[in-house]
Short mmCIF file of all heavy atoms in Angstrom, two decimals:
data_model
loop_
_atom_site.label_atom_id
_atom_site.label_comp_id
_atom_site.label_asym_id
_atom_site.label_seq_id
_atom_site.Cartn_x
_atom_site.Cartn_y
_atom_site.Cartn_z
N LEU U 29 131.60 15.31 95.89
CA LEU U 29 130.33 14.73 95.85
C LEU U 29 130.35 13.21 96.01
O LEU U 29 129.57 12.68 96.81
CB LEU U 29 129.76 14.95 94.30
CG LEU U 29 129.51 16.37 93.91
CD1 LEU U 29 128.70 16.44 92.57
CD2 LEU U 29 128.55 17.17 94.80
N PHE U 30 131.29 12.54 95.52
CA PHE U 30 131.40 11.08 95.60
C PHE U 30 131.97 10.71 96.95
O PHE U 30 131.61 9.65 97.50
CB PHE U 30 132.17 10.41 94.47
CG PHE U 30 131.39 10.55 93.17
CD1 PHE U 30 131.93 11.22 92.18
CD2 PHE U 30 130.21 10.05 93.12
CE1 PHE U 30 131.22 11.52 90.96
CE2 PHE U 30 129.36 10.16 91.89
CZ PHE U 30 129.93 10.85 90.88
N LYS U 31 132.82 11.63 97.53
CA LYS U 31 133.16 11.26 98.97
C LYS U 31 131.98 11.27 99.98
O LYS U 31 131.82 10.60 100.78
CB LYS U 31 134.28 12.49 99.47
CG LYS U 31 135.03 12.11 100.55
CD LYS U 31 136.18 13.14 100.70
CE LYS U 31 136.98 12.83 101.99
NZ LYS U 31 138.05 13.76 102.23
N ALA U 32 131.06 12.28 99.68
CA ALA U 32 129.84 12.34 100.43
C ALA U 32 128.97 11.21 100.21
O ALA U 32 128.44 10.44 101.12
CB ALA U 32 129.07 13.58 100.10
N ALA U 33 128.87 10.81 98.88
CA ALA U 33 128.12 9.53 98.49
C ALA U 33 128.54 8.40 99.11
O ALA U 33 127.73 7.57 99.74
CB ALA U 33 128.04 9.46 97.00
N LEU U 34 129.80 8.20 99.28
CA LEU U 34 130.36 6.90 99.76
C LEU U 34 130.49 6.90 101.19
O LEU U 34 130.80 5.89 101.82
CB LEU U 34 131.79 6.72 99.24
CG LEU U 34 131.75 6.34 97.64
CD1 LEU U 34 133.26 6.45 96.99
CD2 LEU U 34 130.96 5.23 97.26
N ARG U 35 129.94 7.95 101.92
CA ARG U 35 129.85 8.01 103.39
C ARG U 35 128.38 7.69 103.77
O ARG U 35 128.08 7.89 104.97
CB ARG U 35 130.26 9.33 103.88
CG ARG U 35 130.77 9.49 105.21
CD ARG U 35 131.95 8.64 105.70
NE ARG U 35 131.71 7.24 105.86
CZ ARG U 35 131.02 6.50 106.66
NH1 ARG U 35 130.37 7.24 107.59
NH2 ARG U 35 130.77 5.24 106.67
N ALA U 36 127.54 7.18 102.89
CA ALA U 36 126.09 6.97 103.16
C ALA U 36 126.08 5.68 104.09
O ALA U 36 126.96 4.80 104.05
CB ALA U 36 125.38 6.71 101.92
N PRO U 37 125.13 5.54 104.94
CA PRO U 37 124.94 4.38 105.76
C PRO U 37 124.79 3.12 104.87
O PRO U 37 124.11 3.24 103.84
CB PRO U 37 123.77 4.77 106.67
CG PRO U 37 123.00 5.80 106.11
CD PRO U 37 124.02 6.52 105.23
N ASP U 38 125.35 2.00 105.32
CA ASP U 38 125.19 0.76 104.43
C ASP U 38 125.27 -0.45 105.31
O ASP U 38 126.40 -0.68 105.80
CB ASP U 38 126.53 0.96 103.52
CG ASP U 38 126.88 -0.23 102.77
OD1 ASP U 38 126.12 -1.16 102.72
OD2 ASP U 38 128.05 -0.23 102.16
N HIS U 39 124.24 -1.12 105.60
CA HIS U 39 124.11 -2.25 106.40
C HIS U 39 125.08 -3.38 105.99
O HIS U 39 125.14 -3.78 104.83
CB HIS U 39 122.74 -2.86 106.42
CG HIS U 39 122.40 -3.73 107.47
ND1 HIS U 39 121.25 -4.46 107.86
CD2 HIS U 39 123.26 -4.40 108.44
CE1 HIS U 39 121.15 -5.28 108.79
NE2 HIS U 39 122.47 -5.33 109.26
N ALA U 40 125.99 -3.63 106.89
CA ALA U 40 126.95 -4.80 106.74
C ALA U 40 128.11 -4.35 105.73
O ALA U 40 128.88 -5.07 105.36
CB ALA U 40 126.41 -6.04 106.31
N TRP U 41 128.19 -3.11 105.48
CA TRP U 41 129.18 -2.49 104.50
C TRP U 41 129.23 -3.31 103.25
O TRP U 41 130.23 -3.68 102.78
CB TRP U 41 130.47 -2.34 105.25
CG TRP U 41 130.68 -1.21 106.15
CD1 TRP U 41 129.64 -0.32 106.54
CD2 TRP U 41 131.87 -0.68 106.61
NE1 TRP U 41 130.11 0.67 107.27
CE2 TRP U 41 131.48 0.55 107.38
CE3 TRP U 41 133.15 -1.03 106.58
CZ2 TRP U 41 132.42 1.33 108.11
CZ3 TRP U 41 134.09 -0.35 107.24
CH2 TRP U 41 133.70 0.85 108.06
N LEU U 42 128.08 -3.52 102.71
CA LEU U 42 128.04 -4.46 101.46
C LEU U 42 128.45 -3.59 100.20
O LEU U 42 128.73 -4.10 99.25
CB LEU U 42 126.62 -4.80 101.21
CG LEU U 42 126.05 -5.84 102.22
CD1 LEU U 42 124.54 -6.24 101.83
CD2 LEU U 42 126.93 -7.05 102.39
N ARG U 43 128.48 -2.18 100.39
CA ARG U 43 128.96 -1.45 99.37
C ARG U 43 128.17 -1.69 97.97
O ARG U 43 128.66 -2.05 96.97
CB ARG U 43 130.40 -1.48 98.94
CG ARG U 43 131.33 -1.48 100.25
CD ARG U 43 131.14 -0.06 100.83
NE ARG U 43 132.20 0.06 101.94
CZ ARG U 43 131.91 0.72 103.09
NH1 ARG U 43 130.68 1.30 103.28
NH2 ARG U 43 132.74 0.93 103.90
N PRO U 44 126.77 -1.63 98.07
CA PRO U 44 126.05 -2.00 96.81
C PRO U 44 125.98 -0.83 95.74
O PRO U 44 125.48 -1.02 94.67
CB PRO U 44 124.60 -2.12 97.52
CG PRO U 44 124.45 -1.24 98.62
CD PRO U 44 125.98 -1.26 99.18
N SER U 45 126.25 0.49 96.11
CA SER U 45 126.15 1.54 95.33
C SER U 45 127.19 1.77 94.22
O SER U 45 128.46 1.66 94.59
CB SER U 45 125.97 2.81 96.21
OG SER U 45 124.94 2.69 97.16
N ARG U 46 126.83 2.12 93.13
CA ARG U 46 127.80 2.49 91.95
C ARG U 46 127.25 3.75 91.38
O ARG U 46 126.02 3.99 91.37
CB ARG U 46 127.59 1.36 90.95
CG ARG U 46 127.93 -0.08 91.40
CD ARG U 46 129.45 -0.27 91.58
NE ARG U 46 129.62 -1.75 92.03
CZ ARG U 46 129.42 -2.35 93.39
NH1 ARG U 46 129.10 -1.26 94.29
NH2 ARG U 46 129.63 -3.49 93.60
N TYR U 47 128.16 4.48 90.89
CA TYR U 47 127.82 5.81 90.29
C TYR U 47 128.48 5.87 88.92
O TYR U 47 129.74 5.63 88.73
CB TYR U 47 128.19 6.93 91.14
CG TYR U 47 127.64 6.74 92.65
CD1 TYR U 47 128.31 6.32 93.66
CD2 TYR U 47 126.31 7.29 92.82
CE1 TYR U 47 127.71 6.09 94.94
CE2 TYR U 47 125.66 7.09 93.98
CZ TYR U 47 126.30 6.53 95.05
OH TYR U 47 125.76 6.41 96.16
N VAL U 48 127.68 6.29 87.93
CA VAL U 48 128.29 6.37 86.58
C VAL U 48 128.13 7.90 86.26
O VAL U 48 126.95 8.32 86.35
CB VAL U 48 127.60 5.52 85.56
CG1 VAL U 48 128.05 5.69 84.10
CG2 VAL U 48 127.65 3.99 86.00
N THR U 49 129.14 8.56 85.84
CA THR U 49 129.00 9.99 85.37
C THR U 49 128.95 10.00 83.88
O THR U 49 129.50 9.32 83.07
CB THR U 49 130.34 10.71 85.90
OG1 THR U 49 131.49 10.07 85.26
CG2 THR U 49 130.53 10.72 87.36
N ILE U 50 128.09 10.95 83.46
CA ILE U 50 127.86 11.26 81.96
C ILE U 50 128.03 12.75 81.86
O ILE U 50 127.23 13.49 82.47
CB ILE U 50 126.42 10.75 81.63
CG1 ILE U 50 126.37 9.22 81.95
CG2 ILE U 50 126.36 10.94 80.09
CD1 ILE U 50 125.01 8.67 81.86
N GLU U 51 128.99 13.12 81.05
CA GLU U 51 129.24 14.55 80.85
C GLU U 51 129.53 14.73 79.37
O GLU U 51 129.82 13.81 78.64
CB GLU U 51 130.43 14.90 81.63
CG GLU U 51 130.16 14.80 83.15
CD GLU U 51 131.66 14.97 83.88
OE1 GLU U 51 132.36 14.17 84.13
OE2 GLU U 51 131.78 16.19 84.26
N GLY U 52 129.56 16.15 78.99
CA GLY U 52 129.98 16.50 77.60
C GLY U 52 129.25 15.74 76.58
O GLY U 52 128.02 15.65 76.65
N ASP U 53 129.92 15.43 75.51
CA ASP U 53 129.22 14.77 74.33
C ASP U 53 128.70 13.46 74.72
O ASP U 53 127.70 12.89 73.96
CB ASP U 53 130.14 14.54 73.17
CG ASP U 53 130.59 15.97 72.50
OD1 ASP U 53 129.88 16.95 72.90
OD2 ASP U 53 131.48 16.08 71.76
N ALA U 54 129.06 12.73 75.72
CA ALA U 54 128.47 11.56 76.24
C ALA U 54 126.89 11.66 76.40
O ALA U 54 126.19 10.78 76.23
CB ALA U 54 129.04 10.93 77.41
N ARG U 55 126.68 12.86 76.93
CA ARG U 55 125.18 13.08 77.19
C ARG U 55 124.42 13.14 75.89
O ARG U 55 123.22 12.65 75.78
CB ARG U 55 125.00 14.44 77.81
CG ARG U 55 125.70 14.55 79.23
CD ARG U 55 125.77 15.94 79.66
NE ARG U 55 126.32 16.86 78.78
CZ ARG U 55 125.97 18.24 78.48
NH1 ARG U 55 125.10 18.74 79.30
NH2 ARG U 55 126.55 18.87 77.62
N ILE U 56 125.03 13.67 74.84
CA ILE U 56 124.36 13.68 73.49
C ILE U 56 124.07 12.20 73.02
O ILE U 56 123.06 11.87 72.51
CB ILE U 56 125.23 14.37 72.48
CG1 ILE U 56 125.42 15.93 72.83
CG2 ILE U 56 124.57 14.34 70.99
CD1 ILE U 56 126.36 16.72 72.11
N SER U 57 125.21 11.36 73.10
CA SER U 57 125.01 9.93 72.70
C SER U 57 123.98 9.31 73.48
O SER U 57 123.19 8.53 72.94
CB SER U 57 126.36 9.23 72.93
OG SER U 57 127.38 9.90 72.26
N LEU U 58 123.91 9.50 74.67
CA LEU U 58 122.86 8.96 75.54
C LEU U 58 121.49 9.36 75.21
O LEU U 58 120.56 8.59 75.06
CB LEU U 58 123.10 9.27 77.11
CG LEU U 58 122.32 8.38 78.02
CD1 LEU U 58 122.85 6.95 78.13
CD2 LEU U 58 122.28 8.95 79.38
N GLY U 59 121.20 10.63 74.88
CA GLY U 59 120.01 11.11 74.42
C GLY U 59 119.57 10.44 73.04
O GLY U 59 118.43 10.08 72.88
N GLN U 60 120.57 10.26 72.19
CA GLN U 60 120.25 9.50 70.99
C GLN U 60 119.87 8.17 71.19
O GLN U 60 118.95 7.62 70.47
CB GLN U 60 121.57 9.64 69.99
CG GLN U 60 121.34 9.26 68.59
CD GLN U 60 120.40 10.12 67.91
OE1 GLN U 60 120.21 11.43 68.29
NE2 GLN U 60 119.64 9.65 67.00
N ILE U 61 120.54 7.50 72.15
CA ILE U 61 120.09 6.07 72.36
C ILE U 61 118.69 6.00 73.03
O ILE U 61 117.95 5.07 72.67
CB ILE U 61 121.21 5.41 73.34
CG1 ILE U 61 122.59 5.22 72.56
CG2 ILE U 61 120.67 4.17 74.02
CD1 ILE U 61 123.81 4.98 73.56
N LEU U 62 118.50 7.02 73.82
CA LEU U 62 117.10 7.07 74.41
C LEU U 62 115.97 7.18 73.37
O LEU U 62 115.08 6.48 73.29
CB LEU U 62 117.03 8.19 75.46
CG LEU U 62 115.67 8.35 76.19
CD1 LEU U 62 115.35 7.22 77.03
CD2 LEU U 62 115.67 9.68 76.93
N LEU U 63 116.35 8.04 72.45
CA LEU U 63 115.34 8.35 71.37
C LEU U 63 115.19 7.10 70.48
O LEU U 63 114.11 6.67 70.26
CB LEU U 63 115.84 9.53 70.59
CG LEU U 63 115.16 9.67 69.08
CD1 LEU U 63 113.70 10.23 69.44
CD2 LEU U 63 115.79 10.80 68.25
N GLU U 64 116.30 6.46 70.14
CA GLU U 64 116.20 5.47 69.17
C GLU U 64 115.66 4.03 69.80
O GLU U 64 115.38 3.11 69.10
CB GLU U 64 117.57 5.15 68.43
CG GLU U 64 117.94 6.30 67.54
CD GLU U 64 119.34 6.12 66.93
OE1 GLU U 64 119.86 5.01 66.86
OE2 GLU U 64 119.80 7.18 66.29
N SER U 65 115.55 4.14 70.95
CA SER U 65 115.01 2.89 71.85
C SER U 65 113.50 2.96 71.82
O SER U 65 112.86 2.00 72.18
CB SER U 65 115.47 2.97 73.25
OG SER U 65 115.00 4.03 73.92
N GLN U 66 112.90 4.07 71.47
CA GLN U 66 111.55 4.19 71.52
C GLN U 66 110.94 3.56 70.22
O GLN U 66 111.47 3.50 69.20
CB GLN U 66 110.93 5.64 71.41
CG GLN U 66 111.59 6.60 72.39
CD GLN U 66 111.37 6.34 73.79
OE1 GLN U 66 110.29 6.05 74.20
NE2 GLN U 66 112.43 6.17 74.61
N GLU U 67 109.72 2.81 70.45
CA GLU U 67 109.11 2.11 69.41
C GLU U 67 108.71 3.12 68.25
O GLU U 67 108.21 4.32 68.68
CB GLU U 67 107.91 1.46 69.95
CG GLU U 67 107.68 0.10 69.32
CD GLU U 67 106.45 -0.71 69.92
OE1 GLU U 67 106.71 -1.22 70.99
OE2 GLU U 67 105.43 -0.59 69.32
#
Side-chain angles (χ1 to χ4, degrees):
L29 298 184
F30 293 118
K31 199 168 175 183
L34 295 173
R35 200 62 292 289
D38 166 13
H39 192 174
W41 280 13
L42 294 183
R43 310 296 187 220
S45 305
R46 305 284 182 274
Y47 300 98
V48 179
T49 60
I50 303 167
E51 296 172 273
D53 287 352
R55 297 171 308 150
I56 298 172
S57 304
L58 195 72
Q60 194 60 29
I61 290 165
L62 180 64
L63 171 63
E64 292 180 14
S65 70
Q66 310 297 311
E67 215 175 283

